[in-house]
Amino acid sequence: MAKRSSAPLWTLWTPCPKRLSAGSFKHDNGCYCTLGVLGAARGIDMAGFDDSDYLDTTEVGEAFGIAEAMAREIMFLNDEAYSWECRQAADPDARRWELMREWVGNHIKGTQSSTV
């Protein structure tokens, strides 16, 4: 179970850009949200997810090959939990990347948040 849940996090750890957006899997400026990075790395068509205000996390989890709970948590952290801190930063997308990278690092076996 842990192997299934943590495997996608390695994708987020390695090639992740140093900027992450909120509210959309991919913005017009080319910036992805945290799950958008995973979707792009896996070649997932994310266009259908951006067309609605409400996303079914079960459908997102299935499309991305991750547990629904993980999809929900990542979406919440990326879009809501860190929103105040990101808005206060000079570069909100860069701050979101730092916060999400730390979260990912804390949830992958064999890494430490001090290495982010």
Side-chain angles (χ1 to χ4, degrees), residues 15-105:
C16 190
K18 295 194 176 194
R19 296 175 55 86
L20 293 171
S21 63
S24 181
F25 284 91
K26 183 178 181 184
H27 282 264
D28 292 337
N29 66 4
C31 192
Y32 292 97
C33 71
T34 305
L35 281 179
V37 171
L38 178 62
R42 292 183 171 186
I44 296 170
D45 179 11
M46 300 174 281
F49 292 126
D50 284 340
D51 293 336
S52 66
D53 291 332
Y54 172 78
L55 293 175
D56 183 333
T57 53
T58 300
E59 290 178 20
V60 172
E62 288 173 3
F64 284 73
I66 61 175
E68 182 271 342
M70 179 181 279
R72 185 176 349 109
E73 183 168 7
I74 291 172
M75 290 167 63
F76 172 74
L77 290 170
N78 187 86
D79 294 348
E80 305 293 334
Y82 297 136
S83 63
W84 175 254
E85 186 171 345
C86 292
R87 282 195 303 263
Q88 302 306 309
D91 185 344
D93 291 342
R95 182 63 182 141
R96 182 173 292 103
W97 175 81
E98 292 168 354
L99 293 165
M100 291 305 299
R101 177 126 167 126
E102 181 178 353
W103 180 86
V104 168

